[in-house]
């Protein structure tokens, strides 16, 4: 069955993909390629010599699927404490869609990004403690990633309103030719530490930007406090 998404409004949009609530499961989302930005466009944008690579190398959905599948093997199920689960592909009227866990707060709202959390509510003690817990566990599991961007991390709240966990929803994997888990432990740890240091730096930069009275920019700031409709909640 082909899922109809073209008439729906995405709740989030990245540089290359749109993200929709799964029409049959409010606990899942579907990422599809932006119809106005083809793989050919993306390859041309990268420039030479990357223009020589096959189009499949520029498919974000396929790459994310392979990375999460690899993390499910190593370090295993513990990885999903910190990243969203993946459920494979489904066909949509906008092309193949990658189905993932939709991170929601206990009240049913789609969790906001760490960027929005810090900008709107400040770097509270609760948020600071959540970042510390996240960093400790990320370090223990040695999860490979590109830069840990604030708009790619969701802040999930529990029934008491406190932060339950931080969840990375994009930017996973390593661009290196050698698989990350094949590297010596010390090298893996050094890479993880750099990413965590960059995360702390980005938090400080965001706080400084807010203190200067600048605008945050729209990326990662869209209102995502959406609760499932009655129809969605009925599954």
């Amino acid at each position: 069955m082909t899922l109809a998404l073209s008439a729906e409004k995405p709740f989030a949009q990245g540089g290359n993909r749109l993200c929709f609530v799964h029409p049959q499961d409010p606990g899942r989302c579907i990422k599809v390629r932006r119809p106005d930005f083809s793989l050919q466009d993306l390859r041309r944008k990268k420039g030479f010599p990357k223009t020589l690579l096959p189009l499949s190398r520029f498919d974000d959905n396929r790459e994310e699927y392979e990375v999460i599948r690899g993390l499910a093997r190593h370090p295993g199920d513990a990885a999903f404490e910190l990243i969203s689960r993946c459920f494979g592909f489904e066909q949509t009227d906008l092309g193949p869609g990658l189905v993932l866990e939709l991170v929601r707060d206990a009240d049913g709202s789609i969790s906001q990004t760490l960027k929005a959390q810090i900008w709107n509510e400040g770097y509270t003690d609760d948020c600071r403690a959540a970042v510390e817990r996240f960093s400790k566990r990320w370090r223990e599991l040695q999860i490979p990633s590109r830069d840990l961007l604030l708009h790619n991390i969701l802040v999930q709240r529990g029934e008491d309103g406190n932060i339950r966990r931080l969840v990375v929803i994009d930017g996973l994997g390593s661009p290196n030719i050698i698989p990350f888990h094949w590297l010596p432990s010390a090298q893996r740890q050094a890479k993880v530490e750099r990413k965590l240091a960059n995360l702390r730096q980005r938090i400080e930069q965001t706080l400084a930007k807010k203190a200067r009275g600048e605008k945050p920019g729209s990326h990662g700031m869209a209102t995502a406090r959406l609760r499932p409709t009655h129809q969605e909640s009925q599954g």
Side-chain angles (χ1 to χ4, degrees), residues 16-18 20 32-38 41 94:
N16 304 323
R17 294 182 289 179
L18 304 175
F20 296 86
V32 297
R33 290 205 54 77
R34 282 173 45 183
D36 59 332
F37 199 58
S38 68
D41 293 331
L94 294 176

Side-chain angles (χ1 to χ4, degrees), residues 65-105:
Y65 171 73
E66 294 295 343
V67 168
I68 295 179
R69 189 169 68 166
L71 291 172
R73 295 191 298 266
H74 185 91
D77 201 59
F80 298 109
E81 299 171 21
L82 306 175
I83 69 173
S84 54
R85 290 186 180 273
C86 180
F87 304 99
F89 288 89
E90 291 192 40
Q91 188 60 40
T92 82
D93 59 358
L94 294 176
L98 183 64
V99 182
L100 298 139
E101 170 192 3
L102 178 53
V103 181
R104 293 185 183 268
D105 294 348

Side-chain angles (χ1 to χ4, degrees), residues 30 34 41 74 103 124 148 153 155 159 166 180 184 209:
I30 305 180
R34 282 173 45 183
D41 293 331
H74 185 91
V103 181
T124 62
L148 292 168
I153 302 175
V155 179
E159 293 181 358
L166 302 183
F180 182 82
K209 189 175 183 179

Side-chain angles (χ1 to χ4, degrees), residues 122-136:
Y123 198 30
T124 62
D125 291 343
D126 185 31
C127 187
R128 189 182 301 273
V131 170
E132 290 175 357
R133 291 194 303 271
F134 169 88
S135 299
K136 180 177 183 293

Side-chain angles (χ1 to χ4, degrees), residues 172-217:
L172 297 168
S174 173
N176 297 331
I177 296 176
I178 300 175
F180 182 82
H181 65 275
W182 288 6
L183 297 174
S185 178
Q187 191 172 348
R188 293 198 306 269
Q189 197 64 54
K191 287 178 176 291
V192 168
E193 291 298 339
R194 284 198 297 272
K195 301 306 180 185
L196 292 174
N198 289 342
L199 172 62
R200 293 191 295 270
Q201 183 179 35
R202 284 185 171 83
I203 291 172
E204 294 303 322
Q205 289 172 341
T206 299
L207 291 170
K209 189 175 183 179
K210 181 179 180 181
R212 292 193 298 267
E214 299 178 18
K215 294 183 179 180

Side-chain angles (χ1 to χ4, degrees), residues 43-61:
R43 183 167 63 179
R44 282 193 296 269
K45 180 182 176 182
K46 294 295 183 180
F48 184 84
K50 291 188 176 180
T51 51
L52 302 177
L53 295 173
L55 286 177
S56 60
R57 292 287 298 275
F58 299 90
D59 187 338
D60 293 338
N61 270 353

